């Protein structure tokens, strides 16, 4: 189920060519999406911003583009064949399948909303003298709900880390959680369900081999560790970064592009000397948050969520959460993965994966700190925050996308005031100068007001209007999307004017 603001974003995305449901003419493939003309531009700009910051600005990080298909032993070594599972439960009446942990999490959300209701009531009752912290620590109802919340979430955490499926089914029954479709609590047992998609390669039945579609890009980096070291002479500490598709057979298909079956990750594995990994983990936590904030969507939209229940291979892990329309949710994961992956690949491949430290004369298996962000979630964070509806002084309304100028899909539109008297030709001359440098549009049809609205709706930061004076004095008016202010500039300066305001270098300078 999507909330109202997410619904508006979804329909805006479709109407203006940002995101479409996959195979929509066949009624749509669930949890798979296509990026339209403007969506693919925005996505490319986000990739480029990540790549430039991660690979070009960092002197000790190199890039990689490994294949989606890998030898299936990769996934045995990494543990995905045995343990990349979600706990699932079916309702016998509706025949619907759910993630058992999510049913409990939704129950917890209901308790949270009861707490928030009590707080709102308190605010109304006490007015300006209301102290939220004091209220939360003294109000008997809030205390009761908070205690229950804490107990259930502790139990859930323990059950998930100890793989206690029976306990999870009992908890669902004990909390009297009903299937939202059938309304009954006629549940099956909880079973583990592997999230990897598989396919087969081979020309005949005898030599076919089961292959998996990679569920993360990280393993392509690990298996190429020696290739990269040997071909680049990289010295530890150093990182390998890559952007690419990943696939997971997610059971819960909703919340638009937040949880998809085919999605894109931007991951970086940073190889360090054992014993120094927690220092690097802290450094990367800080660095990644700084990168997110440099986009300028709003500093208070991010928070860390440090993991209490660590995966067996990690000695520290956290998420950078973003305030999506559905609340704070994971945008990026930062994990200190120890030497788990390299050791496992060493064992499985029977090839030594060692780094020789020239200073100490010792060889060791490096430890790894990983940063892993979902590109589609980043895309959603930008669109959801940028979508604005505004009432104007003249009584009309406008919908605009306040996308940071530097990543906007179209940087500039050239608009002749009228479609006659030589204005379209002059506009075309200007367009022909700037299109080599920026993604821009030439829009001639309809009233100038309508064309401004169209550009606002797709988030174009600058509109260049060509009027009758332009024919005489070689100048144009440039309108700013956000405050609709206008200024007159010489056409000779147009490239530097647009570049100063939209270059990705502005963001990179903010960041470094
Ligand atoms: N290599 C580590 C790894 O894959 P993860 O926390 O499972 O870690 C990393 O995934 C990031 O990938 C998440 O923070 C999220 O942004 C994105 N992601 C994971 N599953 C996704 C899905 N089904 N749809 C969209 N993005 C997803």
């Amino acid at each position: 189920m999507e909330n109202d603001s997410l619904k508006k974003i979804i329909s805006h995305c479709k109407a203006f060519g940002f995101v479409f449901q996959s195979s929509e003419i066949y009624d749509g493939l669930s949890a798979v999406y296509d990026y339209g003309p403007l969506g693919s531009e925005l996505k490319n700009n986000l990739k480029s911003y990540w790549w430039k910051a991660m690979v070009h600005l960092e002197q000790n990080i190199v890039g990689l583009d490994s294949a989606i298909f890998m030898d299936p032993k990769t996934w045995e070594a990494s543990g995905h064949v045995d343990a990349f599972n979600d706990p699932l439960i079916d309702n016998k009446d509706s025949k619907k399948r759910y993630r058992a942990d999510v049913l409990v999490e939704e129950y917890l959300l209901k308790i949270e909303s009861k707490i928030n209701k009590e707080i709102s009531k308190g605010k109304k009752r006490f007015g300006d003298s209301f102290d939220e912290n004091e209220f939360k620590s003294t109000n008997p109802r809030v205390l009761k709900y908070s205690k229950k919340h804490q107990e259930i979430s502790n139990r859930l955490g323990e059950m998930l880390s100890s793989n206690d499926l029976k306990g999870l089914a009992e908890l669902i029954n004990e909390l009297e959680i009903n299937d939202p479709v059938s309304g009954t609590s006629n549940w099956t047992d909880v079973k583990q369900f592997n999230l990897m998609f598989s396919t087969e390669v081979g020309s005949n039945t005898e030599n076919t081999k089961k292959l998996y579609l990679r569920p993360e890009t990280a393993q392509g980096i690990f298996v190429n560790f020696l290739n990269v070291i040997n071909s680049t002479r990289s010295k530890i500490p150093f990182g390998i970064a890559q952007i690419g598709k990943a696939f997971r057979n997610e059971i819960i298909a909703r919340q638009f592009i937040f949880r998809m079956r085919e999605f894109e990750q931007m991951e970086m594995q940073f190889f360090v000397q054992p014993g120094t990994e927690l220092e690097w983990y802290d450094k990367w936590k800080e660095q990644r948050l700084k990168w997110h904030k440099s986009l300028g969507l709003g500093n208070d939209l991010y928070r860390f969520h440090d993991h209490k229940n660590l995966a067996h291979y990690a000695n520290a892990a956290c998420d950078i959460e973003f305030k999506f329309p559905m609340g704070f949710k994971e945008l990026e994961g930062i994990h200190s993965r120890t030497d788990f992956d390299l050791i496992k690949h060493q064992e499985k491949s029977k090839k030594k994966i060692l780094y020789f430290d020239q200073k100490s004369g010792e060889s060791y298996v490096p430890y790894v700190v990983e940063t892993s962000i979902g590109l589609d979630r980043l895309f959603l964070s930008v669109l959801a925050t940028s979508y604005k509806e505004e009432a104007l002084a003249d009584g009309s309304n406008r919908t605009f996308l306040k996308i940071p100028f530097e990543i906007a899909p179209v940087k500039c539109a050239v608009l002749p005031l009228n479609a006659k008297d030589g204005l379209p030709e002059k506009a075309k001359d200007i367009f022909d100068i700037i299109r080599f440098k920026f993604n821009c549009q030439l829009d001639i049809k309809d009233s100038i007001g309508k064309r401004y609205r169209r550009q606002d709706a797709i988030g174009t930061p600058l509109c260049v209007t060509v009027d009758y004076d332009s024919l005489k004095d070689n100048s144009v008016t440039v309108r700013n999307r956000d405050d609709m202010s206008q200024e007159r500039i010489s056409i000779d300066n147009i490239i530097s004017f647009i570049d100063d305001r939209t270059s990705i270098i502005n963001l990179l300078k903010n960041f470094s």
Side-chain angles (χ1 to χ4, degrees):
M1 244 142 300
E2 279 95 23
N3 63 29
D4 283 348
S5 81
L6 190 56
K7 273 188 196 150
K8 276 190 185 170
I9 291 157
I10 296 171
S11 80
H12 194 85
C13 277
K14 182 176 172 186
F16 290 93
F18 283 88
V19 183
F20 309 125
Q21 174 95 58
S22 163
S23 330
E24 202 187 87
I25 58 166
Y26 296 106
D27 296 334
L29 184 64
S30 168
V32 186
Y33 290 89
D34 299 336
Y35 286 83
L38 292 174
S40 47
E41 291 287 340
L42 175 56
K43 208 174 163 198
N44 282 340
N45 292 345
L46 290 169
K47 281 195 225 185
S48 166
Y49 181 45
W50 184 86
W51 190 265
K52 280 185 197 304
M54 197 54 108
V55 182
H56 295 176
L57 282 191
E58 297 284 345
Q59 283 184 354
N60 54 351
I61 298 185
V62 291
L64 181 77
D65 184 4
S66 70
I68 287 171
F69 288 137
M70 300 178 73
D71 190 299
K73 288 195 208 98
T74 309
W75 307 110
E76 290 167 22
S78 66
H80 284 83
V81 171
D82 287 334
F84 194 51
N85 299 320
D86 272 347
L88 296 189
I89 192 164
D90 292 350
N91 184 274
K92 291 181 199 161
D93 298 320
S94 69
K95 313 273 184 252
K96 290 263 172 208
R97 177 162 284 185
Y98 298 91
R99 258 179 65 176
D101 55 333
V102 172
L103 285 179
V104 179
E105 273 165 13
E106 281 171 352
Y107 186 91
L108 288 171
L109 282 179
K110 280 187 192 149
I111 301 182
E112 278 167 38
S113 87
K114 281 183 187 166
I115 295 175
N116 290 336
K117 249 190 207 155
E118 291 300 329
I119 294 172
S120 310
K121 274 198 237 160
K123 264 186 198 153
K124 256 193 202 153
R125 197 175 340 134
F126 296 111
D128 288 344
S129 63
F130 181 71
D131 179 337
E132 187 170 323
N133 285 336
E134 196 190 324
F135 185 79
K136 282 204 253 180
S137 60
T138 53
N139 180 279
R141 280 218 186 96
V142 172
L143 286 172
K144 190 180 88 183
Y145 291 140
S146 303
K147 189 165 169 248
K148 191 171 177 190
H149 189 284
Q150 191 63 49
E151 277 170 11
I152 298 172
S153 84
N154 287 348
R155 280 174 71 189
L156 178 65
E158 280 160 22
M159 283 163 184
L160 291 176
S161 55
S162 63
N163 204 13
D164 179 4
L165 303 184
K166 201 161 164 265
L168 204 46
E170 279 165 11
L171 182 62
I172 288 171
N173 285 314
E174 182 188 317
L175 298 176
E176 297 178 355
I177 297 176
N178 288 339
D179 173 10
V181 177
S182 67
T184 72
S185 57
N186 196 6
W187 298 111
T188 60
D189 292 340
V190 177
K191 288 198 191 93
Q192 291 290 23
F193 175 85
N194 195 283
L195 296 184
M196 281 196 295
F197 288 103
S198 64
T199 184
E200 286 183 343
V201 278
S203 51
N204 59 48
T205 43
E206 268 149 47
N207 67 5
T208 54
K209 196 173 190 178
K210 184 173 179 181
L211 288 189
Y212 297 100
L213 273 75
R214 68 179 176 198
E216 60 171 11
T217 61
Q219 298 303 326
I221 295 180
F222 293 130
V223 302
N224 274 298
F225 174 77
L226 290 176
N227 281 336
V228 173
I229 281 262
N230 293 336
S231 57
T232 62
R233 295 164 60 233
S234 297
K235 300 263 178 300
I236 273 178
F238 82 99
I240 306 177
Q242 83 164 322
I243 300 176
K245 291 267 186 171
F247 305 82
R248 296 183 188 176
N249 196 356
E250 299 282 1
I251 292 309
I252 301 193
R254 55 178 187 190
Q255 293 174 332
F256 193 35
I257 54 174
F258 182 81
R259 194 176 300 285
M260 298 155 86
R261 300 204 166 108
E262 174 181 340
F263 58 99
E264 211 157 343
Q265 289 185 318
M266 306 195 287
E267 297 201 297
M268 190 279 297
Q269 311 295 324
F270 201 71
F271 300 92
V272 303
Q273 190 179 6
T276 64
E277 73 277 7
L278 291 178
E279 262 168 61
W280 283 108
Y281 170 77
D282 287 340
K283 182 171 175 287
W284 278 111
K285 257 180 93 168
E286 192 193 315
Q287 184 82 339
R288 291 305 302 145
L289 186 64
K290 206 167 148 198
W291 182 87
H292 283 286
K293 288 184 174 172
S294 70
L295 268 177
L297 299 180
N299 289 357
D300 52 348
L301 298 175
Y302 302 90
R303 71 179 187 196
F304 282 119
H305 169 232
D306 293 309
H307 291 196
K308 288 193 198 107
N309 298 308
L310 293 173
H312 59 281
Y313 54 78
N315 62 6
C318 72
D319 301 331
I320 294 177
E321 293 187 336
F322 183 81
K323 198 170 181 193
F324 287 100
M326 358 19 125
F328 272 101
K329 302 252 174 213
E330 176 184 347
L331 172 62
E332 169 155 2
I334 300 162
H335 315 118
S336 172
R337 291 177 79 127
T338 67
D339 54 0
F340 175 84
D341 302 271
L342 291 182
I343 293 261
K344 289 285 172 196
H345 288 305
Q346 189 168 255
E347 285 168 9
K348 196 88 192 163
S349 65
K350 302 197 172 50
K351 307 249 165 41
K352 283 216 153 43
I353 305 183
L354 289 172
Y355 174 77
F356 177 68
D357 188 333
Q358 279 171 338
K359 264 195 213 148
S360 68
E362 279 173 49
S363 294
Y364 58 81
V365 179
Y367 270 41
V368 173
V369 176
E370 165 185 75
T371 71
S372 173
I373 174 170
L375 176 56
D376 312 272
R377 288 191 190 179
L378 180 65
F379 185 103
L380 181 59
S381 74
V382 171
L383 263 201
T385 318
S386 304
Y387 181 89
K388 306 276 175 220
E389 289 172 354
E390 189 178 65
L392 300 176
D394 66 1
S396 65
N397 294 308
R398 70 165 180 154
T399 298
F400 71 112
L401 293 182
K402 205 176 172 186
I403 301 175
F405 280 25
E406 297 82 355
I407 52 165
V410 177
K411 296 286 184 277
C412 168
V414 186
L415 317 172
L417 194 60
N418 286 321
K420 55 182 186 183
D421 304 330
L423 297 185
E425 290 76 9
K426 182 78 179 169
K428 175 81 169 54
D429 289 346
I430 296 171
F431 178 73
D432 282 341
I433 299 170
I434 60 176
R435 72 192 166 115
F436 288 98
K437 175 102 178 143
F438 311 103
N439 187 28
C440 48
Q441 290 188 350
L442 175 65
D443 193 0
I444 298 177
K445 236 178 118 213
D446 292 326
S447 74
I448 191 77
K450 264 195 186 159
R451 283 179 279 159
Y452 281 152
R453 291 292 165 275
R454 260 200 312 258
Q455 295 299 332
D456 284 347
I458 63 170
T460 306
L462 302 169
C463 285
V464 168
T465 311
V466 180
D467 56 22
Y468 290 97
D469 286 340
S470 309
L471 302 177
K472 288 183 243 149
D473 64 6
N474 205 40
S475 66
V476 282
T477 300
V478 185
R479 171 190 181 265
N480 181 305
R481 176 197 68 199
D482 294 346
D483 58 8
M484 296 184 288
S485 62
Q486 306 204 350
E487 62 185 292
R488 198 82 189 162
I489 66 161
S490 162
I491 293 170
D492 296 338
N493 299 334
I494 195 159
I495 289 196
S496 61
F497 184 92
I498 301 170
D499 201 36
D500 286 350
R501 283 151 188 82
T502 63
S503 169
I504 204 122
I505 295 172
N506 298 339
L507 292 186
L508 292 167
K509 281 195 177 149
N510 267 347
F511 165 65
S512 60

